[in-house]
Every structure is written in structure tokens, then in C-alpha cells.
Amino acid sequence: MEQATHNATLNRPRRAIALISGGLDSAIAAQLVTQWGIEVIGLHLVSPFGCTTDAQKVADHLNIRLVLKEKGNDYLDIVEKPKYGYGRNMNPCIDCRIYMFELAEQVLLEEKADFIVTGEVVGQRPLSQNKAAISLIEKKSPLIHKILRPLSGGNLPETLPEERGWIKREHLLKISGRGRTQQFLLAQQLGISEYASPSGGCLLTEGAFSDRLRDFFSHPTFATETEKLAQAEMLKLGRHFRISENAKVIVARTEGECQSVELLWQKSKGILLQPENFKGPLGIALGNLTETEKIQAGAILARYGKKAECGPFQIKSHRLGAAEIFTIAEAASDEIINSWRVGIT
Ligand code: SF4
């Protein structure tokens, strides 16, 4: 009986978890492995700084199920103090990949899958995708030999799915470097037309976003893990202004950002700032604001109102369970605004 069960397990179709970023390379990797007869489930790791829309579109296009898994506060800890350091900006790519594979292993076990698939290309990213870094990341992750890289695997050591005969080594490609020509050709051959543009990459690699992140870590205005995560999520929104060591103001730029502000201000334990007698965007103030700082926050909001030259401006502020209207005489000048600005985007 035990033997029969064992054989049934061995004979079942093989299943892989493919990391789907929303970009082209991971879509190609998932599609290739599907064509090689493996059942593929997509996995998108949701960053507090990222967006899931592209990954879901790609999964729908490839006709695969997509599992979403959140990168939580432990991810923020890694970004703040990475063991293996940063790239050019605040991108801790080696620590980040190890963390991603730890989450991927959890999904591999939950979904009873056999191995992981990634769209990594040797030499594409200087910090995390050279051969030495790939080997280090794999050794430090719980997935040693279980990570298949269809785009570059022909140049890498043998993996478990090849050893077991589930994947033929001669199928694996030998792409390397930063060029994209081969991937665009493959996309055509495989009929992949839905993927995010390469320019929409990781915010941690951007200088302006890294400035915001450094400011966030060095001026904590959160008391709980939920507040910290919500405030981290707001780093990608709006314009940011550091008005004192204890207070920061964020002003939305678009209708969509106003909606995000409305969703996040309570979670982040911020103060929602809303124009009362003029048209303009929503804002959030973070920290324990003094009376002077409250007026400064209002002056910033008024600066982005539709009639910025004409005061007085009334602003409604909402804290949890309380609201008040306060008045300011003038909007902040551009000179002052620029002296407070953090991470121009
Ligand atoms: S580019 Fe960003 S998401 Fe990718 S490994 Fe580096 S830090 Fe992580």
C-alpha cells in the first residue's frame, strides 16, 4: 500500500512555481516551462513599494493561476539593514533575492510543487545576477538546486528538475548580459504580448525614491508594524516634504493618489488634510505636529490648490475620531517648498 502511494506521487504531473514580476523575462520562463509539459503556478511577491496589476495581466495572458504573497515588515528590516549591502541606490538585491526565495519555498510547500522557475538572466543585473551572486543567493536560500532558470540555465550548474529528467538540459537557453534582442524574439515566437515595460522596474534602484526611503528610516513616525507598513506604502505616492525632525507632509498628485491617501491615512496613523474652501489635492501629515507645523502643513497643501495665490485658506484636518477646520493666510512659497522637499520624482 505504501509502495502504491509512493508510485502515485512519483507519477503525478510535475508542478513548478514561477516567479512572475510582470516583466518579459519571467513571462518567457513560465511559458517555456509550461511548453515543456510542467504545470506552472505563478507567484507574485507583493512589495509595499510595488504594484500587482502587471503580474496579474501577465498571468491571465499566460493562462496560469497567480498566487500573491506579501513582502511584510521583515522585508522592510532587510531593506533597512541588508547583510550583503546595497547596489547603486537602496536596492539590497542579494538579501532581497534570498528573502524572495524563502517566501517562494513556503508557496512551493503549500502548493506541493517540485521546483521554482525564475526569469533570471546571467549578467543582466550587476549585483544579483552574476554567476557568483546567483550561487551565493541559492546557497543561502532554502531552495538549493531547486531553482530553474530557463533563459540562462544552459550556462549554469545542473538543477534538480534536470537530474530527475523532468526538464531536458538541451532545452535550456544560454542567454547572458543586458541585451534584450533574444527575449523580444522569444516573446514573438511564444506569442507573449502582455508584459510591463523594462523601464517600470524596482523603485529601490531609483535615486529619488531611495532619498525618501532613507528619510523614512531615519525619522520613524510609526508605533506599530501596521503603521510602519502603511507609511512605507505611501513612499511611492505624491510629493513628500520633511518640515521638521518629527513631522512630514505628503501631498497627492493625481485623483488616483487622492484615493490611496483616503485608504491609507487611518492605517498609517496620519492626519488627513483636506481643502475646505478651495479646490486641491488631499494630503497626509505624519508625526506629532506642533501648532506651527500644522500651519506649515496647511501652507503646503494650499500651494497645490487650484487658487494658490488667494488666501485665506481653510483646511479640514482629520485624526482618528476627531476633525477640525483651521485657517492659514498664505500658501507656502516655492523657495520654502523646495527646502522641505524629499526625493523629487
Ligand atoms: S531590483 Fe529590487 S526587487 Fe529586484 S532584487 Fe534588487 S531590490 Fe529586489
Side-chain angles (χ1 to χ4, degrees), residues 10 113 167 189 210 255 310 337 341:
L10 281 180
I167 295 286
Q189 287 163 13
S210 297
E255 196 55 46
C310 322
I337 284 272
R341 214 184 269 277

CSV table of all heavy atoms in Angstrom, one decimal, residues 10 113 167 189 210 255 310 337 341:
chain,number,residue,atom,x,y,z
A,10,LEU,N,5.2,9.7,-7.4
A,10,LEU,CA,6.2,9.8,-8.4
A,10,LEU,C,5.6,10.1,-9.8
A,10,LEU,O,6.2,10.8,-10.6
A,10,LEU,CB,7.1,8.6,-8.5
A,10,LEU,CG,8.1,8.4,-7.4
A,10,LEU,CD1,8.9,7.1,-7.6
A,10,LEU,CD2,9.1,9.6,-7.4
A,113,ALA,N,4.5,21.7,-4.9
A,113,ALA,CA,5.2,21.9,-6.2
A,113,ALA,C,6.6,21.3,-6.1
A,113,ALA,O,7.1,21.0,-5.0
A,113,ALA,CB,5.3,23.3,-6.6
A,167,ILE,N,13.1,18.0,-16.8
A,167,ILE,CA,13.4,19.1,-17.8
A,167,ILE,C,14.7,18.6,-18.5
A,167,ILE,O,15.6,18.1,-17.9
A,167,ILE,CB,13.8,20.4,-17.0
A,167,ILE,CG1,12.5,21.0,-16.3
A,167,ILE,CG2,14.4,21.4,-18.0
A,167,ILE,CD1,11.5,21.6,-17.2
A,189,GLN,N,7.9,34.5,-30.8
A,189,GLN,CA,7.7,33.0,-31.1
A,189,GLN,C,6.7,32.4,-30.1
A,189,GLN,O,5.9,31.5,-30.5
A,189,GLN,CB,9.1,32.3,-30.9
A,189,GLN,CG,10.0,32.6,-32.0
A,189,GLN,CD,11.5,32.1,-31.6
A,189,GLN,OE1,11.7,31.4,-30.6
A,189,GLN,NE2,12.4,32.6,-32.4
A,210,SER,N,15.1,56.4,-3.2
A,210,SER,CA,16.0,56.0,-2.1
A,210,SER,C,16.1,57.1,-1.1
A,210,SER,O,16.3,56.9,0.1
A,210,SER,CB,17.4,55.6,-2.7
A,210,SER,OG,17.2,54.5,-3.6
A,255,GLU,N,-5.8,62.1,-9.0
A,255,GLU,CA,-7.0,61.6,-8.4
A,255,GLU,C,-6.8,60.2,-7.8
A,255,GLU,O,-7.2,59.9,-6.7
A,255,GLU,CB,-8.1,61.5,-9.6
A,255,GLU,CG,-9.5,61.4,-9.1
A,255,GLU,CD,-10.0,62.5,-8.2
A,255,GLU,OE1,-9.7,63.6,-8.4
A,255,GLU,OE2,-10.5,62.1,-7.2
A,310,CYS,N,-4.6,83.1,-3.7
A,310,CYS,CA,-5.6,83.9,-2.9
A,310,CYS,C,-5.9,83.2,-1.6
A,310,CYS,O,-6.7,82.2,-1.6
A,310,CYS,CB,-6.8,84.1,-3.7
A,310,CYS,SG,-6.6,84.4,-5.4
A,337,ILE,N,9.0,75.6,-0.1
A,337,ILE,CA,8.5,74.2,-0.5
A,337,ILE,C,9.8,73.4,-0.9
A,337,ILE,O,9.9,72.3,-0.5
A,337,ILE,CB,7.6,74.3,-1.7
A,337,ILE,CG1,6.2,74.8,-1.3
A,337,ILE,CG2,7.5,73.1,-2.5
A,337,ILE,CD1,5.2,73.7,-0.9
A,341,ARG,N,11.4,69.7,0.5
A,341,ARG,CA,11.1,68.5,-0.4
A,341,ARG,C,12.1,67.4,-0.2
A,341,ARG,O,13.2,67.5,0.0
A,341,ARG,CB,11.3,69.0,-1.9
A,341,ARG,CG,10.3,68.4,-2.8
A,341,ARG,CD,10.7,68.9,-4.2
A,341,ARG,NE,10.0,70.1,-4.6
A,341,ARG,CZ,8.8,70.1,-5.1
A,341,ARG,NH1,8.1,69.0,-5.3
A,341,ARG,NH2,8.2,71.2,-5.5
